[in-house]
Amino acid sequence: MAASIPPFSLLRNYAATTARAFVTVKVKPSYAISSTTLHHLPSRSRRLQFYASATNNEEAAARAAAANADSGAPTIFDRIIAKEIPSSIVYEDEKVLAFRDIDPQAPVHVLVIPKFRDGLTQLGKAEARHGEILGQLLYAAKIVAEKEGILDGFRVVINNGSDACQSVYHLHLHVLGGRQMKWPPG
Ligand code: 5GP
């Protein structure tokens, strides 16, 4: 039921898929929480239920995305590169595009991607020939951090595969900053 899923999760699911409908996930195996049930829960329980729902949803979306990982199908990022759908571009050169994440996890959250995927659906597919573009992506991450004024403290993340909740199979670096980061990450 849509009422039990935070709107950003729906967005994320939409964004992560190219040929897949929304994923509906029950918070518990035996039932899904209705909005009426939620209304009667204490607020902390409600927050936990939303958290559980978002987490389960994220994992389910990642598993669904992984099922198509090797299909070679275009992803939402191809449409962003082609400017068919809008994005907030932070940096661009011949090989690399950096744009703001639609579902930011920090005040600064920018995705850095290669314009030509060349088999790099995920970091785990990297081969020696990808060395140059991998270096360019990392350097672009530094340029983004500089442009965003977070050079003193920022994090670069690559989620690889469904266990890491990768949801878009076009290699991308997350550049995160503008708040205190915690360790270990979730
Ligand atoms: P992953 O989960 O694969 O590591 O990261 C994919 C990221 O792409 C997510 O953080 C998600 O919010 C972001 N994303 C997915 N679709 C779109 C979109 O259409 N536009 C933008 N700007 N970001 C997107």
Side-chain angles (χ1 to χ4, degrees), residues 12 15-16 76-77 80 85 87 99-103 109 111 159 165-168 172 174:
R12 185 181 176 99
I76 194 84
F77 291 174
I80 289 174
I85 59 172
S87 68
F99 54 95
R100 295 189 197 287
D101 197 294
I102 202 167
D103 178 21
H109 187 172
L111 301 172
N159 295 321
C165 277
Q166 181 176 358
S167 60
V168 180
H172 50 282
H174 297 256

Short mmCIF file of all heavy atoms in Angstrom, two decimals, residues 12 15-16 76-77 80 85 87 99-103 109 111 159 165-168 172 174, ligand 1:
data_model
loop_
_atom_site.label_atom_id
_atom_site.label_comp_id
_atom_site.label_asym_id
_atom_site.label_seq_id
_atom_site.Cartn_x
_atom_site.Cartn_y
_atom_site.Cartn_z
N ARG A 12 12.79 6.51 -5.55
CA ARG A 12 14.01 5.75 -5.74
C ARG A 12 13.71 4.53 -6.60
O ARG A 12 14.45 4.22 -7.52
CB ARG A 12 14.54 5.33 -4.37
CG ARG A 12 15.87 4.63 -4.47
CD ARG A 12 16.31 4.22 -3.08
NE ARG A 12 17.52 3.46 -3.17
CZ ARG A 12 18.72 3.95 -2.97
NH1 ARG A 12 18.86 5.21 -2.67
NH2 ARG A 12 19.77 3.19 -3.07
N ALA A 15 13.23 5.55 -10.09
CA ALA A 15 14.46 5.98 -10.72
C ALA A 15 15.37 4.80 -11.01
O ALA A 15 16.12 4.81 -11.98
CB ALA A 15 15.18 6.98 -9.82
N ALA A 16 15.32 3.78 -10.17
CA ALA A 16 16.29 2.70 -10.28
C ALA A 16 15.93 1.72 -11.38
O ALA A 16 16.75 0.90 -11.75
CB ALA A 16 16.39 1.96 -8.95
N ILE A 76 18.55 4.57 -16.12
CA ILE A 76 18.07 5.94 -16.00
C ILE A 76 19.23 6.93 -16.23
O ILE A 76 19.02 8.04 -16.71
CB ILE A 76 17.43 6.15 -14.60
CG1 ILE A 76 16.63 7.44 -14.54
CG2 ILE A 76 18.45 6.12 -13.49
CD1 ILE A 76 15.25 7.31 -15.07
N PHE A 77 20.46 6.51 -15.93
CA PHE A 77 21.59 7.42 -16.11
C PHE A 77 21.87 7.71 -17.60
O PHE A 77 22.36 8.78 -17.93
CB PHE A 77 22.85 6.86 -15.43
CG PHE A 77 22.78 6.87 -13.92
CD1 PHE A 77 23.80 6.29 -13.17
CD2 PHE A 77 21.73 7.46 -13.24
CE1 PHE A 77 23.76 6.29 -11.77
CE2 PHE A 77 21.67 7.47 -11.85
CZ PHE A 77 22.68 6.88 -11.12
N ILE A 80 19.82 10.55 -18.35
CA ILE A 80 20.37 11.78 -17.76
C ILE A 80 21.53 12.27 -18.62
O ILE A 80 21.64 13.47 -18.91
CB ILE A 80 20.78 11.52 -16.29
CG1 ILE A 80 19.52 11.35 -15.44
CG2 ILE A 80 21.66 12.64 -15.76
CD1 ILE A 80 19.76 10.95 -14.01
N ILE A 85 16.12 13.49 -19.50
CA ILE A 85 15.46 13.89 -18.26
C ILE A 85 16.40 14.84 -17.52
O ILE A 85 17.62 14.72 -17.62
CB ILE A 85 15.05 12.69 -17.37
CG1 ILE A 85 16.25 11.84 -17.00
CG2 ILE A 85 14.00 11.84 -18.04
CD1 ILE A 85 15.90 10.78 -15.98
N SER A 87 18.56 16.96 -14.81
CA SER A 87 19.32 16.72 -13.58
C SER A 87 20.05 18.02 -13.26
O SER A 87 20.22 18.88 -14.12
CB SER A 87 20.32 15.58 -13.76
OG SER A 87 21.33 15.97 -14.66
N PHE A 99 26.19 14.97 -11.18
CA PHE A 99 24.89 15.63 -10.97
C PHE A 99 24.36 15.27 -9.59
O PHE A 99 24.73 14.25 -9.01
CB PHE A 99 23.88 15.21 -12.06
CG PHE A 99 23.72 13.71 -12.19
CD1 PHE A 99 22.70 13.04 -11.53
CD2 PHE A 99 24.61 12.96 -12.97
CE1 PHE A 99 22.55 11.66 -11.64
CE2 PHE A 99 24.47 11.58 -13.08
CZ PHE A 99 23.45 10.93 -12.42
N ARG A 100 23.47 16.12 -9.07
CA ARG A 100 22.95 15.91 -7.71
C ARG A 100 22.03 14.70 -7.66
O ARG A 100 21.21 14.49 -8.55
CB ARG A 100 22.19 17.15 -7.23
CG ARG A 100 23.09 18.33 -7.10
CD ARG A 100 22.44 19.53 -6.42
NE ARG A 100 23.23 20.70 -6.70
CZ ARG A 100 24.42 20.98 -6.15
NH1 ARG A 100 24.92 20.15 -5.25
NH2 ARG A 100 25.10 22.04 -6.48
N ASP A 101 22.19 13.92 -6.58
CA ASP A 101 21.34 12.75 -6.37
C ASP A 101 19.90 13.23 -6.10
O ASP A 101 19.68 14.20 -5.38
CB ASP A 101 21.86 11.93 -5.18
CG ASP A 101 21.27 10.53 -5.17
OD1 ASP A 101 20.04 10.38 -4.97
OD2 ASP A 101 22.04 9.57 -5.36
N ILE A 102 18.96 12.51 -6.66
CA ILE A 102 17.54 12.88 -6.51
C ILE A 102 17.05 12.62 -5.09
O ILE A 102 16.05 13.21 -4.66
CB ILE A 102 16.69 12.08 -7.54
CG1 ILE A 102 15.38 12.78 -7.81
CG2 ILE A 102 16.46 10.66 -7.09
CD1 ILE A 102 14.63 12.23 -9.02
N ASP A 103 17.76 11.79 -4.37
CA ASP A 103 17.35 11.43 -3.00
C ASP A 103 18.56 11.62 -2.07
O ASP A 103 19.17 10.66 -1.61
CB ASP A 103 16.88 9.97 -3.01
CG ASP A 103 16.48 9.47 -1.64
OD1 ASP A 103 16.18 10.31 -0.76
OD2 ASP A 103 16.47 8.23 -1.43
N HIS A 109 25.24 15.74 -2.02
CA HIS A 109 25.20 14.34 -2.47
C HIS A 109 25.17 14.38 -4.01
O HIS A 109 24.14 14.65 -4.61
CB HIS A 109 23.97 13.61 -1.93
CG HIS A 109 23.98 12.14 -2.24
ND1 HIS A 109 23.05 11.26 -1.70
CD2 HIS A 109 24.79 11.37 -3.03
CE1 HIS A 109 23.30 10.04 -2.15
NE2 HIS A 109 24.34 10.08 -2.96
N LEU A 111 26.39 12.49 -7.70
CA LEU A 111 26.79 11.25 -8.37
C LEU A 111 27.75 11.58 -9.50
O LEU A 111 27.51 12.51 -10.27
CB LEU A 111 25.56 10.54 -8.94
CG LEU A 111 24.47 10.16 -7.92
CD1 LEU A 111 23.23 9.64 -8.63
CD2 LEU A 111 25.00 9.13 -6.93
N ASN A 159 28.64 1.72 -4.26
CA ASN A 159 27.90 0.53 -3.88
C ASN A 159 28.05 -0.48 -5.01
O ASN A 159 27.71 -0.18 -6.16
CB ASN A 159 26.42 0.87 -3.66
CG ASN A 159 26.22 1.81 -2.49
OD1 ASN A 159 26.89 1.69 -1.46
ND2 ASN A 159 25.32 2.77 -2.63
N CYS A 165 23.43 -2.79 -1.84
CA CYS A 165 22.27 -1.98 -2.23
C CYS A 165 22.52 -1.12 -3.47
O CYS A 165 21.98 -0.01 -3.56
CB CYS A 165 21.77 -1.12 -1.06
SG CYS A 165 20.69 -2.04 0.05
N GLN A 166 23.30 -1.63 -4.41
CA GLN A 166 23.41 -0.90 -5.68
C GLN A 166 22.06 -0.99 -6.39
O GLN A 166 21.46 -2.07 -6.48
CB GLN A 166 24.50 -1.52 -6.57
CG GLN A 166 24.65 -0.77 -7.90
CD GLN A 166 25.79 -1.29 -8.77
OE1 GLN A 166 26.54 -2.20 -8.37
NE2 GLN A 166 25.94 -0.71 -9.96
N SER A 167 21.57 0.13 -6.86
CA SER A 167 20.25 0.12 -7.49
C SER A 167 20.27 0.56 -8.95
O SER A 167 19.30 0.35 -9.67
CB SER A 167 19.27 1.02 -6.71
OG SER A 167 19.74 2.35 -6.68
N VAL A 168 21.37 1.16 -9.39
CA VAL A 168 21.49 1.54 -10.81
C VAL A 168 22.79 0.94 -11.35
O VAL A 168 23.87 1.18 -10.79
CB VAL A 168 21.52 3.08 -10.98
CG1 VAL A 168 21.65 3.44 -12.46
CG2 VAL A 168 20.24 3.72 -10.41
N HIS A 172 28.82 4.39 -10.64
CA HIS A 172 28.72 5.77 -10.15
C HIS A 172 29.37 5.89 -8.79
O HIS A 172 29.32 4.98 -7.97
CB HIS A 172 27.26 6.22 -10.08
CG HIS A 172 26.36 5.28 -9.37
ND1 HIS A 172 25.88 4.13 -9.96
CD2 HIS A 172 25.85 5.29 -8.12
CE1 HIS A 172 25.11 3.48 -9.10
NE2 HIS A 172 25.08 4.16 -7.97
N HIS A 174 29.30 8.06 -5.33
CA HIS A 174 28.53 9.03 -4.54
C HIS A 174 29.55 9.93 -3.84
O HIS A 174 30.44 9.44 -3.14
CB HIS A 174 27.72 8.32 -3.44
CG HIS A 174 26.67 7.36 -3.93
ND1 HIS A 174 25.33 7.67 -3.92
CD2 HIS A 174 26.77 6.10 -4.41
CE1 HIS A 174 24.64 6.64 -4.37
NE2 HIS A 174 25.49 5.66 -4.67
P1 5GP B 1 23.05 3.16 -5.87
O1 5GP B 1 21.92 2.79 -4.96
O2 5GP B 1 22.99 2.34 -7.15
O3 5GP B 1 24.40 3.14 -5.23
O4 5GP B 1 22.81 4.68 -6.25
C1 5GP B 1 21.93 5.09 -7.23
C2 5GP B 1 21.60 6.50 -6.89
O5 5GP B 1 20.95 7.09 -8.01
C3 5GP B 1 20.62 6.63 -5.72
O6 5GP B 1 21.23 7.36 -4.67
C4 5GP B 1 19.42 7.33 -6.32
O7 5GP B 1 18.83 8.25 -5.44
C5 5GP B 1 20.01 7.99 -7.54
N1 5GP B 1 19.06 8.18 -8.61
C6 5GP B 1 18.25 7.24 -9.12
N2 5GP B 1 17.50 7.75 -10.11
C7 5GP B 1 17.87 9.05 -10.23
C8 5GP B 1 17.43 10.08 -11.09
O8 5GP B 1 16.56 9.92 -11.95
N3 5GP B 1 18.02 11.30 -10.95
C9 5GP B 1 19.00 11.50 -10.01
N4 5GP B 1 19.52 12.73 -9.95
N5 5GP B 1 19.42 10.54 -9.17
C10 5GP B 1 18.85 9.31 -9.28
#
